[in-house]
Amino acid sequence: MAIIEISKLKKSFGSLDVLKQITFDVNKNDVVAVIGPSGSGKSTMLRSLVHLETIEGGSISVDGDYLVKDGVYPKQQDIKQITSKMGMVFQHFNLFPHLTVKENLEVAPRLLKRESLAVISKRSDELLEKIGLANFSNTHPAKLSGGQKQRVAIARALMLNPEILLFDEPTSALDPELTGEVLQVMKDLAEEHMTMIVVTHEMGFAKEVANRVVFMDNGEIVESGSPTEFFENPQFDRTKAFLRRNLK
């Protein structure tokens, strides 16, 4: 059964149709790479899954519960409960500069008060170990490289034990030499069967790690399929033109 079902999503900014009847499903343990040119609606689609963007038509269900159905949203309390199943990693990290790395990880769980401080502290230590930054727990973000900041952002998203992780161009703000360390953390998560939707320009990641590739252009899904099908036998001219420009 699909853990996320997206059906006929529509979204406009003024007269510009940003999402046009977007429909696809994500199964548990899938790693879906969403690729396409800038301005194709990828980030808007992703942000709509966690209610950072509201849609005007269509439906999104997460784990069987509707975040929005036919363009109508439920009560705020229900929206919070549904979106809590997902963690989001942004392009520009969004770490709190005045907090240490460990404090950045723990701020949301502490505010929610679902667990004891000891449990929260133990999990933040384990996650920092997992991403290779155990020695940086008392460091402030200004002293970290871009790659380290993004790894902290991934660990922070994992602190609330989400069922699904969403990544919005997680490496596009990084220098090329720092991209690999972030992609490695994401590969490790894929091997642990984390369900992920990754908006990315990293074709290598889409080829090697994703089990499905979705190509968006001009607010539409043009084509989707397994990495082998998509990269070796694209069906549509728009896909072929995009791959010619982006595969070296």
Side-chain angles (χ1 to χ4, degrees):
M1 177 185 156
I3 193 168
I4 297 180
E5 296 178 84
I6 300 163
S7 176
K8 299 181 179 177
L9 284 199
K10 291 193 292 183
K11 169 76 176 177
S12 300
F13 293 121
S15 61
L16 178 66
D17 294 329
V18 180
L19 300 178
K20 307 171 186 174
Q21 304 285 337
I22 295 291
T23 297
F24 71 99
D25 294 346
V26 178
N27 293 320
K28 192 170 176 59
N29 305 332
D30 272 355
V31 178
V32 179
V34 182
I35 65 174
S38 297
S40 58
K42 307 182 299 295
S43 293
T44 300
M45 179 277 296
L46 196 73
R47 289 167 62 85
S48 72
L49 300 183
V50 285
H51 199 52
L52 292 174
E53 299 282 0
T54 55
I55 57 149
E56 287 130 27
S59 304
I60 300 168
S61 74
V62 181
D63 218 4
D65 296 318
Y66 278 102
L67 173 65
V68 55
K69 187 172 184 182
D70 298 325
V72 179
Y73 286 87
K75 296 175 184 172
Q76 190 62 35
Q77 184 178 345
D78 294 329
I79 291 172
K80 279 187 179 177
Q81 184 266 324
I82 292 164
T83 56
S84 71
K85 298 175 182 179
M86 295 174 279
M88 181 106 176
V89 179
F90 298 91
Q91 180 178 344
H92 292 292
F93 329 128
N94 293 359
L95 300 178
F96 294 111
H98 63 290
L99 300 181
T100 66
V101 164
K102 186 174 172 68
E103 287 167 344
N104 264 281
L105 265 62
E106 295 179 2
V107 62
R110 283 170 178 257
L111 285 172
L112 291 170
K113 298 180 180 175
R114 291 180 191 158
E115 298 169 310
S116 71
L117 297 182
V119 168
I120 292 169
S121 180
K122 182 171 184 287
R123 186 157 69 254
S124 67
D125 289 341
E126 289 170 350
L127 283 170
L128 288 173
E129 184 74 41
K130 179 187 180 79
I131 64 168
L133 292 174
N135 294 332
F136 291 82
S137 62
N138 294 317
T139 303
H140 285 80
K143 303 223 175 127
L144 300 179
S145 70
Q148 289 169 331
K149 289 176 187 174
Q150 194 60 290
R151 282 188 279 159
V152 172
I154 293 171
R156 181 181 59 183
L158 290 167
M159 277 295 291
L160 295 174
N161 294 317
E163 296 177 42
I164 303 149
L165 271 185
L166 310 178
F167 293 84
D168 188 9
E169 295 278 13
T171 60
S172 64
L174 302 179
D175 294 332
E177 64 268 23
L178 301 177
T179 294
E181 64 191 59
V182 175
L183 292 178
Q184 186 58 56
V185 172
M186 295 167 68
K187 288 176 185 176
D188 293 344
L189 289 170
E191 287 172 6
E192 294 166 12
H193 308 295
M194 171 63 77
T195 305
M196 300 193 285
I197 305 176
V198 185
V199 170
T200 185
H201 63 284
E202 295 289 340
M203 297 297 114
F205 178 88
K207 273 185 177 180
E208 297 163 27
V209 184
N211 65 304
R212 189 141 56 93
V213 180
V214 172
F215 172 58
M216 288 181 64
D217 188 20
N218 194 30
E220 303 170 307
I221 292 180
V222 178
E223 188 165 350
S224 69
S226 72
T228 302
E229 293 166 343
F230 183 84
F231 286 104
E232 294 183 10
N233 191 28
Q235 299 297 301
F236 295 93
D237 288 341
R238 275 196 282 174
T239 313
K240 293 172 185 174
F242 176 81
L243 292 176
R244 275 198 302 272
R245 287 194 304 270
N246 289 277
L247 288 179
K248 296 173 184 176

